[in-house]
Amino acid sequence: MKWKIVFLLLTVILGCSKSDVMNQKSPKIVIAHRGASGYLPEHTLETKAMAHAMNVDFIEQDLVLSKDDIPIVIHDIYLDDVTNVSQIFPNKKRNDGRFYVIDFTFEELKTLNVFERFDPKTGKQVYPNRFPRGKGSFRLHSLQEEIELIQGLNKSTNKNIGIYPEIKAPEFHQKEGKKLSEIVLKILSDYGYKTPKDRCILQCFDSKELERIRKELHTELFLVQLIEFPEETKKLDYFATFADGIGPWYRQILDKKVDEKWTFTPLVSDAHKLGLKVHPYTFKADQLGEFSTFNELLEILLIKANVDGVFTDFPDLVVNFLNEKK
């Protein structure tokens, strides 16, 4: 009987059902950055399925519009560093020599092969020890296709893994006469993502656009303001007027070493005082910088700096780390 009383107390205190309590994961979330991109080409359906199997909390989708207004899951507005577009459509590059997603219809984009990221000038793979470039058969896909994959896997595996879409280059899209944010919000709503409880976090680097999404487009979704430049770390009061969290580069949280121990900037504590969650990017086991091991990096940021979650190319390693910390 004692365990039943404890269970009932947990249910009341946490405000959740039996299945919620029994399936409750670490309070720190794992975000699969472009999927399980340390193992398979980024933003392919295959890498998203792999990330789902790794029991992450959220899977990321970077979004760019096609010529016919389909949100495509791809990291950049360009195609030439992850596809064979220069071979298939050599005459469709712009004057700057780049190939833009927005100049292709969805059907044209579906004909391209997707590769591990490479330098289009040299042809060299950015991360040489990841999935070999040119091997396998991978394609671009739409936001709708990815949502249906994740929701389908949630159904068949009895999981509740969320999505973490990013509005990419909103100013570029606006100059091209495209309404990326409006189109994305409509699709998210159609698939049941409307409130902070719906396992969808929407992110953007452009603070004006994220503010517009909250105040003019009236979304209730959980919003995260991504931070790139050092001066943006001083704008937390402003971000807190429309966002629920921030996504800084993890180096913006680290200060310096004193007696061989890392000290931290006030970014995390200042954000927490304003009620903002902190989800730094990007944790890569094959790009450790000043850290000797991946677990050391995770220990410093997730535990000692007390961030609320991380973007990572190696989600299984972070899931395992957090499980060991329980």
Side-chain angles (χ1 to χ4, degrees):
M1 288 296 293
K2 287 183 179 180
W3 75 267
K4 291 184 178 179
I5 293 172
V6 171
F7 175 77
L8 288 173
L9 285 172
L10 281 171
T11 302
V12 172
I13 292 169
L14 298 174
C16 48
S17 68
K18 177 179 178 180
S19 92
D20 289 333
V21 173
M22 298 304 287
N23 294 315
Q24 196 154 20
K25 299 174 70 175
S26 167
K28 297 181 184 293
I29 68 169
V30 181
I31 307 144
H33 180 246
R34 311 182 200 176
S37 55
Y39 305 104
L40 284 168
E42 65 185 57
H43 283 320
T44 56
L45 288 177
E46 290 83 355
T47 199
K48 303 308 174 72
M50 187 176 193
H52 193 283
M54 291 174 171
N55 293 321
V56 298
D57 297 284
F58 290 86
I59 299 173
E60 184 192 36
Q61 303 80 31
D62 293 313
L63 300 174
V64 178
L65 281 183
S66 66
K67 187 176 183 179
D68 45 353
D69 293 335
I70 303 297
I72 305 302
V73 182
I74 186 171
H75 181 254
D76 298 308
I77 58 175
Y78 311 110
L79 289 162
D80 39 311
D81 47 11
V82 290
T83 76
N84 62 341
V85 64
S86 62
Q87 298 173 8
I88 307 302
F89 298 101
N91 298 323
K92 295 196 73 168
K93 62 184 176 183
R94 292 196 178 188
N95 292 334
D96 61 2
R98 303 302 302 268
F99 295 82
Y100 288 72
V101 177
I102 207 167
D103 293 332
F104 295 80
T105 66
F106 184 46
E107 288 305 312
E108 288 174 325
L109 292 169
K110 295 281 278 186
T111 67
L112 302 177
N113 289 327
V114 175
F115 303 132
E116 181 67 34
R117 180 168 293 274
F118 63 94
D119 184 331
K121 293 181 180 179
T122 65
K124 291 185 178 180
Q125 192 165 308
V126 174
Y127 298 100
N129 293 324
R130 295 192 182 183
F131 197 91
R133 180 188 167 199
K135 301 296 183 180
S137 179
F138 306 98
R139 296 287 186 272
L140 294 170
H141 63 275
S142 68
L143 171 62
Q144 297 96 313
E145 289 173 317
E146 181 158 333
I147 289 175
E148 290 182 7
L149 173 70
I150 293 170
Q151 290 188 347
L153 286 171
N154 281 343
K155 175 72 173 178
S156 62
T157 62
N158 196 30
K159 296 178 184 178
N160 192 21
I161 292 172
I163 64 173
Y164 207 128
E166 179 184 342
I167 302 294
K168 297 293 293 189
E171 186 176 357
F172 167 81
H173 283 89
Q174 289 161 9
K175 288 179 179 178
E176 295 281 334
K178 299 288 190 182
K179 295 184 177 181
L180 173 59
S181 295
E182 287 86 343
I183 291 171
V184 169
L185 286 172
K186 174 65 166 57
I187 291 170
L188 294 177
S189 178
D190 288 345
Y191 280 93
Y193 301 108
K194 301 176 183 179
T195 75
K197 297 180 180 180
D198 293 327
R199 300 294 287 170
C200 175
I201 298 176
L202 187 63
Q203 58 178 329
C204 188
F205 275 103
D206 189 321
S207 59
K208 290 183 179 179
E209 184 65 6
L210 200 65
E211 183 178 23
R212 187 178 80 88
I213 287 170
R214 175 71 81 207
K215 297 180 178 179
E216 293 182 23
L217 302 183
H218 305 294
T219 186
E220 296 179 23
L221 290 172
F222 193 104
L223 301 183
V224 164
Q225 175 64 53
L226 297 170
I227 296 176
E228 182 176 7
F229 303 107
E231 60 268 23
E232 293 176 308
T233 64
K234 308 299 182 183
K235 298 180 179 179
L236 298 186
D237 288 323
Y238 163 56
F239 296 153
T241 64
F242 57 86
D244 303 288
I246 58 169
W249 178 35
Y250 78 84
R251 286 293 290 127
Q252 293 169 330
I253 295 168
L254 297 171
D255 188 5
K256 57 188 176 181
K257 276 189 172 182
V258 177
D259 296 328
E260 298 302 314
K261 294 183 179 180
W262 280 102
T263 60
F264 306 104
T265 69
L267 183 59
V268 175
S269 59
D270 288 350
H272 285 167
K273 289 174 185 176
L274 292 168
L276 296 169
K277 298 293 187 182
V278 183
H279 300 160
Y281 62 86
T282 303
F283 290 63
K284 303 173 182 178
D286 53 358
Q287 194 176 61
L288 294 174
E290 300 151 283
F291 295 90
S292 57
T293 68
F294 192 54
N295 275 9
E296 181 191 3
L297 173 60
L298 297 177
E299 179 74 27
I300 296 297
L301 272 297
L302 270 168
I303 308 304
K304 295 184 178 178
N306 195 31
V307 302
D308 302 288
V310 298
F311 288 86
T312 178
D313 292 5
F314 298 85
D316 58 325
L317 302 184
V318 184
V319 169
N320 291 342
F321 173 84
L322 289 173
N323 285 339
E324 291 172 0
K325 288 291 177 180
K326 284 183 181 178

